[in-house]
Every structure is written in structure tokens, then in C-alpha cells.
Amino acid sequence: MLNFLQKLITFDTTQIENQAIEFIEGYVRNIYGDQLIYEKQDISDKGRYNLIIKNTNKPDVILAGHVDVVPELSKEQFIPRIDGNKLYGRGAVDMKAGVAINIALIDFMLKNKIKFWILSYTDEEYNFLGMKKFVEVYGGKIKPKLTIVTEPTNKIIYTGFRGIAVVNLQIGGVSVHSALKHLGINAIEEYIHYIENLEEYIQTKDSDGYVSLTNLAGIHGGIDKDGIIVSQANIVPNTAKGIFSLRLGNMLSYQEFESFTRNYLDKNGIKIISLEKKNWCYPLIQSDLLNKYSKYSKVESGLTFGYSDVQLIKEYIGGDCLLIGPGPFEKAHQIDEYVEIESIYQSKEIIEKILKDFA
């Protein structure tokens, strides 16, 4: 499992995952051959595809893991390195270790006669294209009783997750000479004030234990000259465009969000140039599973945990949906990202116990 993971880390999967997925398929074919079925699922984006490895057309269990990673902060991150109990590399913990666990569980599931699918999918870090394609094709057609996504969780079993919304917004202010700033509307500053007020607003809808957050991921502002934004130090910027996300701890609808946004900006004399919803996914709450899985590991509701696209499986396919994987989660996306080697094997053992009782 460790050698497989080290090789998987060497593939740059920030944009295209095909080489890594070909490696996964070749590795499994070399061991299991025609015992298993190998399905490539085109997601219609630059030739990218998901890989589904299965021993049945009607799975009781799905193990899933995404192969893509966030952009590297150093090319050395694609050179795996072991130091004691730590395996360093981009995607080591988020979540190529989880993919390695899924593949390592094939033998266990075959021996225990479990009907399974293993989904190695694309584009989780960006637009969820891989999981969207999977549920589009198989929603209503399969009825697994259990789905486990082996995301990094520090070996905690999460039964619920916050929702996520991603929005593009461009606003317009009023340009004046910077010496007369009080007569204008600085679009960049107002954008930041809007995000701060938006977070306060969505948190008013949170119930106990839930924490909604905003994240301004990128902003570009200045003077709009025929659609091109330029910066000029002595002029108050009249436009700002950005992308931001909402980590939803409540069932805030897009209509409620849009109403707040338009009312707030209008009240402050700010024009909306463009407003685009890219994703809007609600929280997943499975409180009935907290006791059901507590004998295997620590279980949490996930009300302060990040979004997982296992929520799409729950919505369109159904069954129990869990997150459980190695750690430390806190090192995901960091320049010194690593996975604790011991936690990989411990996570695999926890999942084996769940699957054994399930079988």
C-alpha cells in the first residue's frame, strides 16, 4: 500500500488526472485481472474521466476517493519523501492516501464476498465534475447501503458535513480623485465590507453546533476601461470582481442569499455588474448514524467540517454516507503536506471492521 501511494503522489494531478488513473487501473489489473470490471466514465472535460472498479453491477458498498489535488507550492511536492512516521508530498493526505486505502481493501472485500464499487474520481478540489457525472449516470439506478469516502479525518468517522456555495460577483462603485475619496465609493473596500456583513447574516441562521463561514478566495479591482480593469493610485476604484465561498451550516437558499446581497449593495449605493452561482450544496445531516458507527471509532456530526461531495451521493443515490480516513487533516493543502503512515493502516483497519460487520 505504501509503495502504491508513493508512486501515486508522483503524478501531477492538479489539472489532468488521467496518468494517475491509468496507473491505478494498471496496478489493479496486474493483481486481479478479469476478476473485476473496469469502467471509465468520461466527464466531458479535456478528456478527463472517473474510474470505477467493481465486482458487480449492483453494489452494496461504494468506496470513493478523488485523485486530483490543489496546485503545488513547490515542484518538489511531487517527489514523495518519508521522514519517520510521515510521508510528505502533494496529495499525501488529501487524498491519495485514501485512494490507496480503497485499493488495498479490494482483497478484503473479495474474501468477505462484499458487492463493491471503488470510485476513483476527478475534480473534487474545483467544480465537483467527477462526482456530478457519477450521480448523473447512476442516480436512481443503484442502491448501495453504504458509501465511504476516505477523505482525511484524523480517523474520526463523520456522518454529516457543512454545505458549500461558490459565487462569482462583480460590483461597481464610483470613481473620484483619491484626494476626494469621501465623494466616491471604493469598490474594493465595499466588496470586503459586503463579505464581512454576509458572514454575519448567514451565521444568524445557524443552529446550535453549526458554524457558517465565508471565504473571499480572490478579488481583482480598479478602474474599468472598456471591460479591462486597471489600477491607478490617484483614482478611487470603480469596480471589483471576485470569487467567494460559503461554508453553510444551515439551509440558506440561493434566493435568500441573493435577496440579502441585492438589498445590502443597493442600500450602500453599489451596483451589481454580474452575479453568478457556481455551486450551491446544502449541509448533510445524518444524526441517526452517530450511535450506529460509534463502536468503530470516534464519531462526529461534522457540523464544523468542510463540504464533501459524498453529499451528492446521499442526495441522488442514498444509503449511509460516511467520511473516514487518515490524518493529519490540518496538513491538507499545505506546502509541508504529509500523511502519518501509521494512521493510513489504522484507518484501513477501522474500515475493515465496518465492512466485516456489514458483510
Side-chain angles (χ1 to χ4, degrees):
M1 181 164 58
L2 194 58
N3 289 337
F4 171 88
L5 173 55
Q6 290 181 84
K7 179 63 177 179
L8 194 58
I9 289 171
T10 66
F11 295 101
D12 180 349
T13 53
T14 54
Q15 296 293 329
I16 304 293
E17 306 88 347
N18 292 11
Q19 280 190 318
I21 291 179
E22 288 170 6
F23 163 70
I24 294 169
E25 181 181 355
Y27 178 89
V28 176
R29 278 187 183 275
N30 188 52
I31 299 172
Y32 299 101
D34 293 337
Q35 280 183 265
L36 301 175
I37 303 165
Y38 308 86
E39 177 188 342
K40 293 180 179 179
Q41 188 178 61
D42 182 13
I43 69 166
S44 302
D45 180 66
K46 302 176 184 176
R48 301 161 79 189
Y49 61 90
N50 298 329
L51 174 66
I52 308 170
I53 298 173
K54 48 191 174 180
N55 67 345
T56 179
N57 287 321
K58 300 292 183 181
D60 289 328
V61 172
I62 296 175
L63 301 181
H66 66 84
V67 183
D68 64 313
V69 297
V70 296
E72 78 283 1
L73 300 173
S74 164
K75 285 296 181 184
E76 292 182 357
Q77 287 189 288
F78 294 116
I79 304 173
R81 173 175 62 88
I82 293 178
D83 184 0
N85 186 42
K86 300 174 181 177
L87 171 57
Y88 288 85
R90 173 54 84 226
V93 74
D94 188 14
M95 63 164 292
K96 290 182 176 179
V99 174
I101 290 170
N102 294 342
I103 298 303
L105 284 165
I106 291 176
D107 197 52
F108 179 88
M109 291 190 290
L110 288 173
K111 288 178 179 177
N112 285 275
K113 297 181 171 55
I114 295 172
K115 297 178 181 179
F116 69 85
W117 285 13
I118 294 177
L119 171 64
S120 299
Y121 63 100
T122 65
D123 199 52
E124 188 272 350
E125 299 288 4
Y126 301 94
N127 296 307
F128 317 128
L129 295 179
M131 187 60 79
K132 286 178 178 177
K133 173 58 69 172
F134 179 74
V135 299
E136 174 191 325
V137 172
Y138 287 109
K141 296 179 181 177
I142 57 174
K143 295 182 179 180
K145 298 172 184 175
L146 174 66
T147 295
I148 298 176
V149 178
T150 45
E151 285 271 16
T153 67
N154 301 339
K155 299 175 292 183
I156 298 170
I157 298 173
Y158 283 101
T159 64
F161 323 98
R162 283 187 294 198
I164 187 170
V166 180
V167 178
N168 287 327
L169 171 67
Q170 182 174 2
I171 62 173
V174 177
S175 286
V176 295
H177 193 287
S178 58
L180 302 172
K181 178 182 175 181
H182 61 286
L183 299 178
I185 298 177
N186 187 312
I188 297 174
E189 293 178 358
E190 291 299 334
Y191 203 118
I192 294 170
H193 293 157
Y194 158 73
I195 293 294
E196 292 170 344
N197 280 272
L198 175 62
E199 182 168 279
E200 291 180 6
Y201 167 70
I202 63 174
Q203 287 179 350
T204 64
K205 297 183 174 295
D206 289 343
S207 301
D208 291 344
Y210 290 76
V211 181
S212 294
L213 298 172
T214 60
N215 178 51
L216 179 56
I219 186 170
H220 178 46
I223 308 302
D224 188 342
K225 291 189 175 182
D226 299 322
I228 299 174
I229 299 176
V230 298
S231 299
Q232 196 164 332
N234 64 346
I235 301 179
V236 170
N238 68 356
T239 192
K241 64 179 180 179
I243 181 170
F244 58 90
S245 65
L246 313 178
R247 297 287 176 164
L248 294 173
N250 57 63
M251 302 302 287
L252 178 80
S253 69
Y254 178 75
Q255 290 72 26
E256 290 175 296
F257 156 80
E258 184 179 12
S259 176
F260 169 83
T261 297
R262 293 189 181 280
N263 289 338
Y264 174 87
L265 295 176
D266 182 65
K267 182 177 67 175
N268 288 279
I270 302 161
K271 181 175 69 173
I272 293 178
I273 297 174
S274 63
L275 177 62
E276 177 193 10
K277 174 182 67 174
K278 293 182 68 67
N279 285 298
W280 201 275
C281 302
Y282 292 107
L284 174 61
I285 302 170
Q286 301 176 106
S287 55
D288 56 313
L289 303 186
L290 289 170
N291 290 330
K292 183 176 180 180
Y293 290 96
S294 61
K295 64 180 178 179
Y296 303 108
S297 186
K298 182 180 179 181
V299 179
E300 292 189 4
S301 63
L303 303 182
T304 59
F305 197 75
Y307 171 81
S308 167
D309 47 14
V310 71
Q311 289 160 246
L312 293 173
I313 291 183
K314 182 66 176 182
E315 181 176 355
Y316 292 99
I317 294 176
D320 293 357
C321 292
L322 308 176
L323 251 61
I324 167 68
F329 167 74
E330 295 77 12
K331 283 298 179 180
H333 302 184
Q334 301 294 319
I335 191 169
D336 60 342
E337 179 177 355
Y338 67 83
V339 63
E340 293 172 345
I341 295 171
E342 186 179 14
S343 76
I344 300 173
Y345 292 96
Q346 291 170 338
S347 299
K348 178 174 176 284
E349 289 173 4
I350 292 169
I351 297 170
E352 284 177 344
K353 290 176 183 177
I354 295 172
L355 294 176
K356 188 172 183 179
D357 283 355
F358 177 85

